[in-house]
Amino acid sequence: MNRRYILFALLCAYWTSCLIACSGTSKRNEVQPESKHFLWKISDENSSVWVLGSIHLADSSLYPLAPVIDSAFARAEELAVEINMNDEEVAKEIGKESVSQGMLEDKLLRDILPPEMWKSLDSLCAVWDIPMVVFEKMRPWLVATTLSAYAFEQAGLNPEYGIDYVLLDRAASDGKAIVGLETAEEQISALADTTESDSAGVYYLKTTLREIAEFETLVKNLIHAWKTGDDDLLRSLLNKDDEEYESEESSSSDQKFKDEIEQRIYVNRNAKMAESIAAFLREDRNVFVVVGVAHLALEKDNVIDALRKRGFKIERF
């Protein structure tokens, strides 16, 4: 299966939203009501942690949040998010790391991209009225995430309606402690390709350019999937058969880039998130955790399955 990386940026990479602002337990223990959300309660013998899947940029149609979400959040003493974008020091670090890992030093973007990809980027910039000079010193991976941010904006999504942002503001008003699960460097490194060839970044940009044409439809379906807790729809939006776009030869040559990107933005980070949640439970901390919904809902190596394998009680609401 081929991941839709433009949606992964929306559901996995929380820092991407800054670009717009600046620019196992047994099954008998698992409860799945008919009306469900991307909300789980993870429990051990002494304590519980709530985990909510987020869309990092959204629109007003997601609000008000369901009463079960509001109630769980109200009872929590701490809020844990991927990174605290309301912290000025974190925002500065995002800018620093974006430059450090995302800018070219001794060559231009045009020197890296295949001619057809350069033409596609030029055409898209003309439609969106973006000067190509904006991208000429960016590495391909940063161009891809920046284009994703523009696409989110074009589709009417706003970081102010992102679930993380809304709950961060509420936590600040309520005096709740805020915990960052990742550093700015860790999150940016998950997407960054800083190799000499930029091959993985070129692949990431290629898939992003391809997917932008259908992005508005994808977003509409994604919002519906989140509101209804529809796992199957969410997974179908994030996964796509390679055969639709890729020849056998190109699929073979790109496979290592797909595996590398998925390992960094998904598998590695999921394992760390699961360990953080397990630590909250060991310490009997009353925490409400918010991470991108893709970390929780995809069919393989997700955070919820990792916690289930550790023997925690899993309930979905």
Side-chain angles (χ1 to χ4, degrees), residues 1-6 117 120-121 124 144 147 202-215 218 239-247 250-251 254 258:
M1 301 296 284
N2 181 32
R3 303 296 187 194
R4 291 186 188 268
Y5 293 117
I6 194 168
M117 194 181 303
S120 296
L121 177 61
L124 180 62
L147 288 176
V202 170
Y203 171 74
Y204 179 29
L205 177 56
K206 177 178 71 174
T207 59
T208 299
L209 286 168
R210 187 175 65 208
E211 293 162 5
I212 279 175
E214 52 183 333
F215 186 65
L218 292 176
N239 294 331
K240 198 169 185 65
D241 287 335
D242 296 332
E243 294 177 359
E244 182 173 344
Y245 295 109
E246 313 261 3
S247 67
S250 64
S251 292
D254 286 344
K258 298 175 189 176

Side-chain angles (χ1 to χ4, degrees), residues 41-71:
K41 184 180 182 181
I42 318 296
S43 306
D44 62 10
E45 297 83 358
N46 305 313
S47 57
S48 298
V49 169
W50 289 89
V51 182
L52 177 66
S54 172
I55 299 177
H56 296 318
L57 298 96
D59 59 33
S60 61
S61 70
L62 266 61
Y63 302 96
L65 294 173
V68 66
I69 298 175
D70 279 333
S71 177

Side-chain angles (χ1 to χ4, degrees), residues 1-273:
M1 301 296 284
N2 181 32
R3 303 296 187 194
R4 291 186 188 268
Y5 293 117
I6 194 168
L7 289 188
F8 260 65
L10 182 60
L11 301 178
C12 285
Y14 186 23
W15 77 273
T16 308
S17 60
C18 184
L19 293 174
I20 292 181
C22 299
S23 55
T25 299
S26 65
K27 290 192 176 182
R28 69 176 179 273
N29 287 330
E30 188 169 352
V31 179
Q32 292 199 14
E34 276 187 25
S35 178
K36 61 184 179 181
H37 310 279
F38 289 105
L39 175 70
W40 287 263
K41 184 180 182 181
I42 318 296
S43 306
D44 62 10
E45 297 83 358
N46 305 313
S47 57
S48 298
V49 169
W50 289 89
V51 182
L52 177 66
S54 172
I55 299 177
H56 296 318
L57 298 96
D59 59 33
S60 61
S61 70
L62 266 61
Y63 302 96
L65 294 173
V68 66
I69 298 175
D70 279 333
S71 177
F73 176 78
R75 293 196 300 269
E77 297 173 354
E78 301 176 74
L79 171 66
V81 293
E82 292 175 31
I83 53 176
N84 182 3
M85 293 294 294
N86 285 359
D87 185 323
E88 289 186 7
E89 291 304 313
V90 171
K92 289 179 183 177
E93 191 65 19
I94 288 288
K96 176 183 174 183
E97 290 297 329
S98 297
V99 172
S100 174
Q101 300 191 53
M103 304 305 289
L104 297 164
E105 294 183 0
D106 56 359
K107 53 188 173 182
L108 299 175
L109 180 65
R110 188 167 194 163
D111 301 327
I112 299 172
L113 299 186
E116 287 305 312
M117 194 181 303
W118 176 262
K119 290 179 182 177
S120 296
L121 177 61
D122 187 39
S123 298
L124 180 62
C125 286
V127 170
W128 283 354
D129 196 25
I130 304 172
M132 283 288 281
V133 68
V134 169
F135 299 119
E136 66 179 4
K137 292 295 292 182
M138 287 185 184
R139 288 185 178 273
W141 75 265
L142 185 55
V143 177
T145 53
T146 304
L147 288 176
S148 296
Y150 276 110
F152 303 156
E153 190 175 37
Q154 293 287 323
L157 303 186
N158 191 317
E160 292 183 2
Y161 289 118
I163 295 163
D164 318 71
Y165 275 99
V166 169
L167 293 182
L168 276 168
D169 286 344
R170 290 186 189 177
S173 298
D174 295 347
K176 297 182 191 293
I178 297 172
V179 180
L181 300 175
E182 299 175 299
T183 65
E185 180 181 7
E186 287 171 335
Q187 189 155 109
I188 291 179
S189 294
L191 286 172
D193 175 12
T194 58
T195 62
E196 181 65 25
S197 66
D198 284 284
S199 298
V202 170
Y203 171 74
Y204 179 29
L205 177 56
K206 177 178 71 174
T207 59
T208 299
L209 286 168
R210 187 175 65 208
E211 293 162 5
I212 279 175
E214 52 183 333
F215 186 65
E216 288 194 21
T217 299
L218 292 176
V219 166
K220 180 180 178 181
N221 289 329
L222 172 64
I223 295 291
H224 177 73
W226 191 90
K227 289 178 180 178
T228 57
D230 191 332
D231 305 76
D232 291 337
L233 177 56
L234 178 67
R235 290 168 182 169
S236 71
L237 293 171
L238 284 165
N239 294 331
K240 198 169 185 65
D241 287 335
D242 296 332
E243 294 177 359
E244 182 173 344
Y245 295 109
E246 313 261 3
S247 67
E248 183 177 347
E249 180 180 356
S250 64
S251 292
S252 175
S253 64
D254 286 344
Q255 186 62 49
K256 65 177 181 179
F257 303 134
K258 298 175 189 176
D259 293 343
E260 175 188 331
I261 292 171
E262 184 162 332
Q263 186 72 31
R264 286 192 281 116
I265 68 175
Y266 182 56
V267 179
N268 292 348
R269 294 171 64 213
N270 286 0
K272 183 179 178 183
M273 290 176 187

